[in-house]
Amino acid sequence: MAGPRPKKRRHLISKRVAPYLFLAPFTLLFLAFLIAPMVYAFNLAIYRTTVVAGTKFVGADNFIRALGDPKFWQGVIVLLKFAIIQIPGMVAVALLIALILDSGTVYLKSFFRVSLFLPYAVPAVIATLIWGYLYGPAFGPFTQLANALHLPAPDFLAASTVLPSIANIANWEYTGYQMIIYYAALQAIPADLEEAAAMDGANGFIYALKVKLPLIAPMVVVTVIFSIIGSLQLFSEPYLLHNIAPAQISNSYTPNYYAYSLAFSNQQYNYSAAVSFVLGAVTAVISYVFMLIVNRGSRA
Amino acid sequence: MAVIELSNIRKSFGSLNIIGGVDLRIEDGEFVIFVGPSGSGKSTLLRLVAGLEEVTSGNILIDGEDVTDLGPADRSLSMVFQSYALYPHKTVRGNMAFGLEVARTPKAEIERRVQAAAASLRLETYLDRKPKELSGGQRQRVAIGRAIVRDPVAFLFDEPLSNLDAALRAEMRIEIAKLHQRLGATMIYVTHDQVEAMTLADKIVVLKDGAIQQVGSPIDLYEKPANLFVAQFLGSPKMNVFEAAPVNGGLRIAGTGQLDLALAQAGVTKVGARPENITVAAAGQGNIDGKVDVVERLGSDTYAYIALGEGELVTVRLPGNARLSVGETVGLVLDMAELHLFDAEGKALAKI
Amino acid sequence: MTIVGKSKRSPSFRRNRWMLSAILFVIWLYTILPLFYVVVSASKSNNDLFTTFGLWFSSDFHLLQNIHDVFSYQDGIFSRWLLNTIGYATAAGVGAALFSTMAGYALAKYQFFGKRLVFAIILGAVMIPQTALVVPLFLLMSKVGMVNTPWAVILPSLVFPPGVFLMRVYADDAIPNELIDAGRVDGAGEFHIFSALTLRLLMPGFATVLILAFVATWNNYFLPLVVLSSAEYFPVTVGLAQWYATATVGSGGGAALFTLVLAGALLSIVPVIIAFIVMQRFWQGGLGAGGVKA
């Protein structure tokens, strides 16, 4: 019969081509706005443009310069310190909140869950400027309180405290988000596991420590990796706070900020691209190494 | 070892009454099975004994001690869950050792007990595997091992075999029976499967809508059911139940049939006969006549479904390969000695 | 603390409950502090900002006046910024969700040549710091004359690799293969199967990606900062930051901007916060689905 056969052929083609068509919009945009800039950045980085000599090919010069640039490495050190200060605290608090909410013992669970997540809805820029005011010597409430109690006003933006202050802003912004992820992971643990543990004599605390935490550990690792990637990209907070603490926060405070300043204050686009590239490479390497360490640990 | 007593146990969730006034005594070393349809409260009752749920009122005593306010672990009980509830991140050894670790048992003692339990359940080679690497039957054995290791005064089983396939279920049933023989411990077991109930139990507790229908040994419940529900719940295929009305000289059953009883019991409204207690004779030669509707031949038995007037089917079990054909009109002969009589409320009346 | 079997009336349970609630409450206070501060400050006059206690209201409730000032400052550019932000975020949110859903669906439910490679590349892309691409993106876009237009913000924001991840996991989980097979047997084309049968099953995941992409675009600062130069195209983040910079660098005249900045901040976070509270159901479920498996 001639009827069914042509239809069948049409379907087979459709089935083979369909996935590519479904992927097409995303892939095209991906190529245009993620891959192309990457390629272009590399292209930029291997040239140098000066007013005098025009544009010429310089190979790896810019990269080598970046790798030897003290400002770049100071920025990297700032990032590493930042990550070490910020991430453990955030993860610990997020886990604590998630465990408390999951234990089902507190009142107003839903209310806490939603309100603790709200900072995620606040743009980093706005969070920074709000905290900037909170920190501020002019009318920050902490300064006011200190004055009222005749205590020395805390200086949140001194050279030694500026990084923890920035870390605090990041904590405030992202703890809720981490908490929601951990909470969802905890909720996925079957309920009868808790009953089995109860029969085994474990109270809630022991159960949380010895069963819940190990079970969500893989999830925690994933979020830590993403947090590391995120913290290596620090820009908005130092950029905004630069205005109220220019001495403590230079315009090369973080590598991203440095790349930005090179491009827009100094017009050094080529070198800026190289710096961005090296930062990207460093980030990728650190994340990959971290993943390997953890994977090997979990497989052992 | 433990004598467990339940005294006027009630459980309600809000306004919903799950268990209404249950009294029960379980002797030391008994294998007791709670059986009933879903919603009967059997799992709830088990969980109340376990301490996983709190009673609304009533008392639970273990060896004379009131444990009603104690948590699960303090009652010295172990439970095997329907879904095994093994800790996914721990090895088999870790799963079995967990409870003992929580109780701060010395390591050497933990190791000894885990080894012994593993040996008795043939799990030694699996001790270092994780649950996800094990089959369903193996996981079930680990769950049992975890229960054994704590040396409880009684074991609780919550439908442990429901998640296994038929062949494995039969195998594990024997395993559990042997476990009981070996340990001699008190065991409370919940199932909806009456085959498990009949084969494993020393004592069966039939539950319906949160109330005990009858308590007794499997054979007692089978041969002398206290009410219609128990009569039809145990035994497969189900007992046939006929409408009955008193008539001169006996009972009129199913509208058309006739039962000659020396003394017809007053108040009989229903009569029950199990499939194996009915035989087939020529039309007109039995108590009721009917037409053969479906015949199932299993080789060892034949199940014949005989249609009476209004389309109700009577199930008859005949040995071997019976000579019946579909459409044939036959007479059903009810074994008088094995008749069950019920009143309007479904309660069983003594046979005369 | 487990509630299994434990009497809700027992003293240890109640003690735990109070202790844990207290810990939660302290954390909650810390979380609410800046938000409360914004509300309080935005309701003060400039003078009161400096003279009254930062964490409580002044007697002069100035909020409406401040809001009015925000919308009238610089010829009402703030409303423009708000509209821009809503536009960018909505376009990016919907677009990213749609494209991520299609891509995730393809990766989850089809076998095709290059599938592993595609997935590995997307995975790798998540590792690349987005900010490292912004400057080169700016230069690229200026070559094609795309800078300083809304597209400069929207188009890059449509690329949302985490969304593809999430949808792949979600599609894998939520759509039984039999459903697709049944559709094929019934003679439906692949796209018809997608739109008529599977899309509604993917809705929770779609909604989650939409919200995540929406928030990411709404909060984005670096990208619009770099690619936009005209204030009329600014989203609220860039615009407000500019006011803030002016307010802090200058003195005297700049100081008057403080209340404006704070009131502007309040106005820019209130819509998203309300949206979050209203849309609770969606993001709580969706984040769970992807989050657990990822």
Side-chain angles (χ1 to χ4, degrees):
Chain A
M1 259 187 289
R5 228 175 293 137
K7 248 197 224 170
K8 196 170 155 191
R9 227 188 297 133
R10 218 179 20 242
H11 272 176
L12 276 175
I13 293 175
S14 184
K15 190 171 149 184
R16 253 185 299 152
V17 166
Y20 297 110
L21 291 176
F22 279 122
L23 274 168
F26 175 79
T27 313
L28 285 171
L29 289 164
F30 183 81
L31 288 171
F33 294 102
L34 217 134
I35 302 294
M38 221 164 67
V39 171
Y40 188 66
F42 187 74
N43 186 288
L44 265 182
I46 55 179
Y47 283 84
R48 180 182 301 146
T49 308
T50 54
V51 178
V52 175
T55 308
K56 60 182 180 107
F57 178 77
V58 289
D61 272 7
N62 283 325
F63 294 110
I64 296 175
R65 183 178 156 203
L67 286 172
D69 190 339
K71 283 192 184 173
F72 176 77
W73 289 111
Q74 277 163 5
V76 171
I77 291 180
V78 164
L79 291 181
L80 289 177
K81 280 197 213 164
F82 175 77
I84 293 175
I85 301 177
Q86 193 251 330
I87 296 179
M90 175 182 70
V91 169
V93 173
L95 275 176
L96 179 66
I97 303 175
L99 284 170
I100 292 180
L101 289 176
D102 185 59
S103 72
T105 50
V106 294
Y107 297 107
L108 306 170
K109 214 169 84 165
S110 214
F111 169 75
F112 279 117
R113 209 164 60 229
V114 174
S115 50
L116 290 172
F117 186 57
L118 288 181
Y120 182 67
V122 177
V125 163
I126 297 189
T128 308
L129 69 87
I130 297 177
W131 277 101
Y133 284 136
L134 282 171
Y135 289 148
F139 48 88
F142 302 113
T143 312
Q144 292 175 335
L145 261 176
N147 287 339
L149 295 172
H150 302 293
L151 291 169
D155 187 356
F156 293 103
L157 300 169
S160 58
T161 56
V162 72
L163 194 56
S165 299
I166 297 180
N168 174 53
I169 301 179
N171 271 340
W172 184 82
E173 288 170 25
Y174 297 114
T175 303
Y177 178 71
Q178 304 287 2
M179 178 269 293
I180 290 288
I181 294 181
Y182 299 150
Y183 178 75
L186 286 172
Q187 290 277 295
I189 299 177
D192 57 6
L193 220 53
E194 186 170 5
E195 294 186 342
M199 299 300 301
D200 272 339
N203 63 17
F205 182 67
I206 296 182
Y207 179 63
L209 201 61
K210 298 210 164 173
V211 180
K212 286 192 192 177
L213 280 181
L215 282 177
I216 64 169
M219 194 68 232
V220 176
V221 167
V222 168
T223 59
V224 169
I225 291 178
F226 280 116
S227 299
I228 293 179
I229 296 176
S231 50
L232 292 176
Q233 305 183 42
L234 194 62
F235 172 78
S236 305
E237 290 87 344
Y239 179 71
L240 276 169
L241 292 177
H242 169 75
N243 290 320
I244 58 176
Q248 295 81 357
I249 302 179
S250 70
N251 67 355
S252 62
Y253 194 66
T254 69
N256 246 346
Y257 194 179
Y258 187 36
Y260 176 83
S261 315
L262 283 171
F264 290 98
S265 311
N266 303 13
Q267 258 46 47
Q268 292 186 49
Y269 292 115
N270 308 88
Y271 186 47
S272 166
V275 169
S276 290
F277 221 85
V278 174
L279 175 66
V282 170
T283 307
V285 165
I286 293 182
S287 327
Y288 196 60
V289 165
F290 194 82
M291 225 173 36
L292 279 180
I293 295 178
V294 171
N295 268 342
R296 195 151 343 122
S298 71
R299 231 178 278 139
Chain B
M1 296 307 117
V3 173
I4 302 180
E5 289 164 87
L6 302 173
S7 173
N8 201 19
I9 299 292
R10 275 173 210 283
K11 176 68 182 170
S12 33
F13 289 108
S15 53
L16 196 62
N17 273 352
I18 309 288
I19 310 264
V22 162
D23 291 287
L24 185 64
R25 186 188 163 92
I26 299 172
E27 301 297 340
D28 181 31
E30 258 190 328
F31 197 123
V32 174
I33 296 196
F34 296 166
V35 78
S38 45
S40 54
K42 55 191 190 297
S43 277
T44 311
L45 198 58
L46 186 76
R47 291 162 62 84
L48 288 172
V49 175
L52 294 171
E53 304 272 4
E54 222 187 300
V55 299
T56 309
S57 70
N59 293 87
I60 302 174
L61 288 90
I62 299 183
D63 278 336
E65 209 183 304
D66 191 335
V67 299
T68 320
D69 291 324
L70 291 181
D74 300 322
R75 300 187 187 190
S76 213
L77 300 169
S78 275
M79 184 140 148
V80 178
F81 292 83
Q82 183 175 0
S83 61
Y84 325 132
L86 299 179
Y87 307 117
H89 61 294
K90 289 183 179 287
T91 58
V92 167
R93 185 188 310 249
N95 264 279
M96 295 207 277
F98 185 66
L100 297 174
E101 285 167 359
V102 171
R104 315 234 173 144
T105 318
K107 270 183 112 163
E109 176 69 12
I110 297 182
E111 189 54 37
R112 188 185 66 80
R113 292 208 202 177
V114 169
Q115 276 297 134
S120 72
L121 292 162
R122 296 173 339 269
L123 287 170
E124 292 114 315
T125 47
Y126 302 111
L127 279 173
D128 291 309
R129 300 230 191 133
K130 295 242 178 98
K132 62 174 180 252
E133 301 166 49
L134 302 173
S135 70
Q138 287 162 344
R139 288 185 208 173
Q140 189 54 284
R141 278 187 272 148
V142 175
I144 295 177
R146 179 171 65 178
I148 293 178
V149 136
R150 293 189 54 237
D151 202 19
V153 300
F155 289 83
L156 308 173
F157 296 85
D158 189 0
E159 303 210 42
L161 306 185
S162 314
N163 289 353
L164 302 175
D165 65 59
L168 210 43
R169 212 179 295 165
E171 199 185 303
M172 290 302 297
R173 220 173 59 218
I174 297 175
E175 188 95 36
I176 293 179
K178 290 211 273 210
L179 188 76
H180 183 237
Q181 279 168 22
R182 203 166 57 232
L183 298 177
T186 314
M187 294 189 177
I188 309 181
Y189 189 107
V190 162
T191 181
H192 61 273
D193 184 326
Q194 45 117 11
V195 174
E196 275 169 41
M198 295 290 290
T199 54
L200 288 171
D202 291 329
K203 185 151 88 184
I204 297 183
V205 176
V206 179
L207 288 156
K208 179 177 180 241
D209 295 332
I212 294 185
Q213 303 295 306
Q214 193 175 355
V215 176
S217 77
I219 295 301
D220 274 346
L221 261 57
Y222 188 83
E223 292 180 348
K224 307 190 199 88
N227 57 36
L228 203 52
F229 176 75
V230 176
Q232 292 199 291
F233 188 80
L234 295 175
S236 179
K238 286 202 323 188
M239 177 190 288
N240 299 295
V241 175
F242 306 96
E243 294 296 321
V247 125
N248 265 338
L251 288 170
R252 172 156 241 89
I253 56 172
T256 56
Q258 177 77 15
L259 273 180
D260 300 316
L261 291 176
L263 272 163
Q265 268 284 320
V268 173
T269 58
K270 288 196 169 41
V271 163
R274 294 201 184 271
E276 65 267 21
N277 297 132
I278 306 179
T279 46
V280 167
Q285 302 272 322
N287 301 102
I288 324 168
D289 276 355
K291 203 148 85 165
V292 178
D293 204 25
V294 176
V295 178
E296 292 175 343
R297 299 179 194 282
L298 276 76
S300 56
D301 300 294
T302 306
Y303 289 104
Y305 299 89
I306 317 273
L308 303 183
E310 293 84 56
E312 8 160 346
L313 289 177
V314 175
T315 314
V316 179
R317 182 160 144 260
L318 302 165
N321 196 7
R323 246 173 320 178
L324 280 178
S325 34
V326 176
E328 201 183 321
T329 310
V330 293
L332 298 171
V333 180
L334 306 180
D335 187 343
M336 291 300 184
E338 303 291 345
L339 267 183
H340 297 266
L341 306 171
F342 301 98
D343 66 15
E345 279 117 43
K347 222 173 82 182
L349 299 166
K351 290 194 279 233
I352 307 251
Chain C
M1 308 301 139
T2 188
I3 54 170
V4 170
K6 221 170 214 172
S7 163
K8 289 211 159 76
R9 298 181 296 272
S10 82
S12 71
F13 179 77
R14 275 198 299 190
R15 206 187 329 124
N16 289 335
R17 173 178 256 183
W18 278 109
M19 196 171 72
L20 295 176
S21 299
I23 296 177
L24 219 52
F25 184 66
V26 168
I27 298 176
W28 182 84
L29 277 177
Y30 166 76
T31 307
I32 292 296
L33 176 76
L35 299 174
F36 183 67
Y37 179 70
V38 176
V39 171
V40 165
S41 307
S43 68
K44 292 185 179 169
S45 69
N46 218 357
N47 210 17
D48 279 348
L49 251 182
F50 288 91
T51 53
T52 58
F53 179 52
L55 287 175
W56 195 248
F57 299 93
S58 69
S59 49
D60 178 15
F61 194 70
H62 226 243
L63 182 61
L64 293 171
Q65 177 65 33
N66 287 340
I67 293 181
H68 176 260
D69 289 342
V70 168
F71 279 112
S72 50
Y73 190 67
Q74 285 177 355
D75 297 321
I77 191 110
F78 191 80
S79 0
R80 187 68 219 229
W81 291 343
L82 268 183
L83 284 170
N84 289 341
T85 318
I86 294 175
Y88 299 152
T90 309
V94 172
L98 185 62
F99 299 146
S100 299
T101 301
M102 286 166 65
Y105 176 72
L107 287 170
K109 293 292 166 186
Y110 290 90
Q111 298 298 327
F112 55 92
F113 177 76
K115 177 169 156 169
R116 284 212 185 187
L117 184 66
V118 167
F119 194 67
I121 293 179
I122 299 180
L123 182 64
V126 179
M127 299 265 177
I128 300 173
Q130 296 292 338
T131 37
L133 298 171
V134 167
V135 175
L137 191 59
F138 165 75
L139 295 168
L140 253 184
M141 288 202 283
S142 53
K143 277 195 188 270
V144 292
M146 214 164 66
V147 282
N148 210 27
T149 66
W151 298 113
V153 176
I154 295 177
L155 289 180
S157 306
L158 292 172
V159 184
F160 195 57
V164 177
F165 257 136
L166 216 103
M167 286 318 294
R168 175 178 169 275
V169 171
Y170 197 78
D172 213 5
D173 215 31
I175 299 179
N177 290 337
E178 291 87 48
L179 185 65
I180 302 177
D181 288 336
R184 290 188 184 135
V185 167
D186 274 343
E190 296 301 311
F191 194 76
H192 191 210
I193 293 178
F194 175 70
S195 57
L197 295 178
T198 58
L199 197 53
R200 63 204 58 201
L201 289 173
L202 291 171
M203 268 311 162
F206 181 92
T208 307
V209 176
L210 196 155
I211 291 170
L212 289 175
F214 181 91
V215 171
T217 310
W218 183 288
N219 291 358
N220 201 346
Y221 176 63
F222 198 25
L223 175 70
L225 175 74
V226 168
V227 304
L228 297 174
S229 43
S230 309
E232 56 177 305
Y233 291 123
F234 283 174
V236 114
T237 46
V238 177
L240 214 48
Q242 201 181 58
W243 283 2
Y244 178 73
T246 322
T248 44
V249 169
S251 57
L257 276 176
F258 285 135
T259 45
L260 234 54
V261 171
L262 285 160
L266 181 65
L267 286 169
S268 44
I269 61 182
V270 161
V272 184
I273 287 185
I274 292 182
F276 258 48
I277 296 178
V278 165
M279 303 264 274
Q280 274 185 64
R281 266 184 310 131
F282 289 110
W283 53 259
Q284 287 191 57
L287 259 181
V292 172
K293 297 286 181 74

